Structures are given as C-alpha cells and as structure tokens.
Amino acid sequence: MKGRSLELFFVDGRADGLLVAELFNWTGHVLLVPRTQIKQALERTEASYTGIYILLGQQDGEPMAYIGETEDIGQRIRTHDSKKDWWTKAVFVTSADNKLNKAHVRFLEARSFERAASVSRVTLDNTQVPQKPQVSEATVANMEGFLENLYMILPALGIDLFVESKRSRPAPEQAVIASSFVPTAQDASSARFELLTPKHGLSAKARLEEGEFIVEKGSVVRARWEGKGGRVTSYETLRKELDKTGVIVSAGSSARFAADYAFNSPSAAAAIVNGRSSNGQKSWKLEGTNKTYKQWEAEQLLGAPEPQLEDA
C-alpha cells in the first residue's frame, strides 16, 4: 500500500477540543466532537450536511456506540442529545460541498454497522439493523472506497470500533514454506515465534506479518487472567474482550485461540498467553531455536543496510 497524508486541524487550538481530519485527495470530511462542545459543533456549516454520525461513550462500564445517518446531522444530534445520555463524543462524517445523498449515507451506515458488529469491540446501541439500499455497482464501489479512507482516519483519532484484529490463516502452501526455514534478516516480515510453558501446558505460535504480531489459531493459553494487583490493566481488559467475542474459547483447564489475532506488540501477546503481564521480548522465541525475540530483533537491526546518502 502507498503512504497517505492525514491533515488534522485543532479548531480551537486544544488537543481535546473540536478536531477536523481530512486525507489528501479525498472528498470526505471528519469532525470529532466532545459532547461538552456540541453547541459549537452544531454551529459549523458541515453540521447541516448529509452524512453519517457515530456516538461514542460508555454504559455500565462497557464501551458503547451508535451509528446513524441523516440528511441534517445537526438536527438529528439535537434529538439524540435529549434521548441518549451515555455518549461523550461524536464523529460527524460528511463530504466537501455536501455531495453525499440519502442513498449514499444509508449505504455507509449499513456497512459501518456491519463492520462494527463483526469486529465486536463495542456494544452497539442501534435497536434496528440498518439495511443497505439498492444502489448501482458504481455507487457501491465509490462508497466502499469512501469507507476505506474513513477506517484509516478513525484509528488515528483513537477510535477503534472498526479495527479488525482477527486475521485470516495463510494458504496451506504458504504455511508449509514459512515453517520449513529459519528466517534471516531478509525474511523478517514473515518470521515465526513460539511461547512454550510446559509447567502450565501453554503452547502458542505467532508470526510477524507486515509489522503485526499475530498469535495463531489453536494456540493454547491460560484459562483465565492470573495477574496480581488491585488495579485492572489494559491487558486484563483485552483478555476479557477476547473471551467475550469468542477469539479465545475455553478448552478444559486451559483455553485456545479460535482465530488468528493481531497484537500491537510481543508483550501484549505474551500477556494474553500467560494470563499475566509478561516481557514478550524475552518470552517469545524464534521457532525451533532458543533465540528470544529481543535477540532476533537485535540481529535485524544490525543486519539493516546503511542509509544511502544522496550526492550533494
């Protein structure tokens, strides 16, 4: 994939205030709105545009979201402001010059709901499942492209309800090839690792793929979170989420990954496998060797080519 340029504009110069996000050469427009500044947001021009909106917050300690569409975002938000008290921020998604129509936003709403429900990171407050309208093949292609850009922007704003961490299994022939050799510096993007703890019956496999640390389906992990301490850690919260969404399923005295799952670091993956905070740099070892992830990573850095300087 090619790199993209994201422009963020802090409307009132505050990091926690109104925020506009736009991608270069994309007609979409995203406005992130804290509920405390909803009045200022509704005074903006784009608040009267046709678009979709996402309400975000918590209810009973659980993350919650609502996805809707409307031909006048401001008018619809005023209704939600009086009827829904759980949301703390909103996202308005429109287009430059108000070029989205009713069919467009109904499609965007339905596909976004479908994606969020599939990812299952948050509870959706929608009482009805949005239905996709009948639109042309060209419109479908255009709106899917619109959503690809939107799903790229939102995580950069700390909004992850559309981020899919489950991963597809590699093709059988690819898996055989990947497990038949020890990766070198040139093969870093397809390195494979294992975390074995015979004492507790744990046996997990993982692969490094396009910068993601992916624990593979079938990996055997602790049956429950065993971490000590009074405060709830982010890893403990993640483990509960993985149990709740069926990514990890019980298997007698232990548990297993029911699907490949991408973590943002080896330590996050190790914590879920071990059921407690762990140093993934040392816990994971290159498959078939006694070399830790930390040692393997150091070799990659030492083996990296020297940067080429341009002639003056």
Side-chain angles (χ1 to χ4, degrees), residues 15-308:
D16 59 350
L18 294 176
L19 174 63
V20 173
E22 295 178 320
L23 278 176
F24 178 74
N25 203 30
W26 180 53
T27 60
H29 179 91
V30 176
L31 178 66
L32 178 62
V33 183
R35 187 164 185 166
T36 54
Q37 291 187 271
I38 193 66
K39 181 177 183 296
Q40 295 93 312
L42 297 185
E43 292 172 350
R44 294 176 61 86
T45 302
E46 64 266 41
S48 64
Y49 285 1
T50 299
I52 65 170
Y53 59 94
I54 306 167
L55 305 180
L56 300 158
Q58 287 191 347
Q59 190 167 55
D60 299 326
E62 294 292 327
M64 180 169 284
Y66 179 92
I67 301 171
E69 57 79 20
T70 177
E71 291 179 285
D72 186 330
I73 288 181
Q75 183 177 352
R76 185 64 57 84
I77 290 296
R78 288 183 178 88
T79 301
H80 286 311
D81 188 61
S82 61
K83 293 184 178 180
K84 297 182 185 294
D85 58 7
W86 54 263
W87 64 277
T88 57
K89 60 184 175 182
V91 180
F92 300 172
V93 183
T94 56
S95 68
D97 300 323
N98 199 19
K99 291 297 179 63
L100 294 174
N101 61 36
K102 184 67 173 179
H104 291 155
V105 295
R106 284 184 59 204
F107 183 91
L108 295 175
E109 176 198 35
R111 287 288 289 117
S112 294
F113 179 92
E114 185 179 87
R115 171 78 171 246
S118 173
V119 171
S120 299
R121 286 184 178 272
V122 303
T123 299
L124 294 172
D125 193 42
N126 297 66
T127 56
Q128 296 182 335
V129 177
Q131 301 299 309
K132 288 196 290 285
Q134 293 292 325
V135 293
S136 69
E137 185 178 9
T139 297
V140 170
N142 289 337
M143 292 302 99
E144 290 290 353
F146 188 97
L147 288 172
E148 283 183 16
N149 289 322
L150 178 62
Y151 298 158
M152 184 184 303
I153 290 175
L154 293 181
L157 307 183
I159 299 170
D160 62 358
L161 77 161
F162 299 119
V163 177
E164 176 63 85
S165 291
K166 294 179 184 177
R167 293 292 180 269
S168 301
R169 299 285 288 170
E173 62 272 17
Q174 293 175 322
V176 171
I177 293 172
S179 61
S180 63
F181 67 92
V182 177
T184 64
Q186 287 73 33
D187 305 312
S189 64
S190 59
R192 294 176 60 81
F193 302 88
E194 57 190 2
L195 195 164
L196 308 175
T197 310
K199 177 182 177 181
H200 300 296
L202 309 182
S203 176
K205 302 282 187 179
R207 65 183 186 272
L208 191 61
E209 187 175 281
E210 296 183 350
E212 294 182 317
F213 198 84
I214 303 174
V215 175
E216 297 183 343
K217 177 180 178 181
S219 291
V220 180
V221 305
R222 279 286 184 93
R224 64 188 65 82
W225 183 258
E226 302 284 353
K228 306 297 182 183
R231 68 184 185 86
V232 177
T233 67
S234 59
Y235 293 151
E236 182 177 358
T237 300
L238 176 58
R239 174 57 197 262
K240 290 179 180 178
E241 178 185 320
L242 298 181
D243 288 335
K244 179 181 177 181
T245 56
V247 173
I248 293 178
V249 296
S250 297
S253 60
S254 61
R256 294 177 182 271
F257 271 80
D260 288 9
Y261 191 86
F263 291 88
N264 59 14
S265 73
S267 289
I272 299 305
V273 173
N274 286 323
R276 54 179 173 76
S277 295
S278 302
N279 185 343
Q281 296 278 333
K282 296 180 179 179
S283 300
W284 291 99
K285 294 185 177 179
L286 191 65
E287 189 175 41
T289 76
N290 200 38
K291 185 181 297 181
T292 66
Y293 181 94
K294 183 176 182 178
Q295 293 169 327
W296 171 85
E297 184 181 56
E299 289 182 358
Q300 308 309 306
L301 297 177
L302 290 173
E306 293 292 331
Q308 299 296 312

